[in-house]
Structure formats: structure tokens, C-alpha cells
Amino acid sequence: MSIDDYTNPGMYGLDGCQDSPYKFGGLIVFKANVLVVQIVYEMQGSNRPKYRQNWANQGWQSWYSF
């Protein structure tokens, strides 16, 4: 499953996800009407969490660090 397909609110585990900035870690999805926000983080890494958004199904933005 592509990380782009995670649009329902919740928390998900990333176990070897190839199209995520981090292959192993967690994904948090928020949804408010037509806005979907994804936040990814490494479980035991020192990298900063990253986020992106999709507004009204117009495509995902690039990943940005907090």
C-alpha cells in the first residue's frame, strides 16, 4: 500500500514503506473536511518528523520538516 492511500484519520505503522521519507516508523493522519495532513516519524531515529498535506484531492505536497 502506498503512503498516499492513507487518508483516513488514525495512527499507522510503517513497516518497510518504500514511498515514505522513513521506511520504518509511524504515520499519523488528520482529516478535516477536504484537508488531509500526514505526519511521519522514525521510531528510534534522530531524524525530525515530516509532514505534508493534500487539499481537496489536488495532490500531495512535498514533505517538510518541523
Side-chain angles (χ1 to χ4, degrees):
M1 179 178 231
S2 170
I3 197 166
D4 294 347
D5 297 329
Y6 289 94
T7 57
N8 289 328
M11 296 178 69
Y12 304 93
L14 299 175
D15 297 326
C17 187
Q18 297 298 318
D19 57 348
S20 168
Y22 308 128
K23 291 184 181 183
F24 298 96
L27 170 68
I28 302 172
V29 179
F30 298 96
K31 187 173 186 178
N33 201 3
V34 295
L35 173 66
V36 179
V37 176
Q38 292 182 331
I39 300 171
V40 294
Y41 57 91
E42 278 188 304
M43 292 295 222
Q44 297 180 341
S46 60
N47 291 317
R48 297 168 58 99
K50 295 187 176 193
Y51 70 95
R52 67 177 182 169
Q53 69 180 18
N54 185 336
W55 180 264
N57 277 334
Q58 294 186 12
W60 289 100
Q61 286 185 334
S62 299
W63 290 101
Y64 297 98
S65 294
F66 279 96

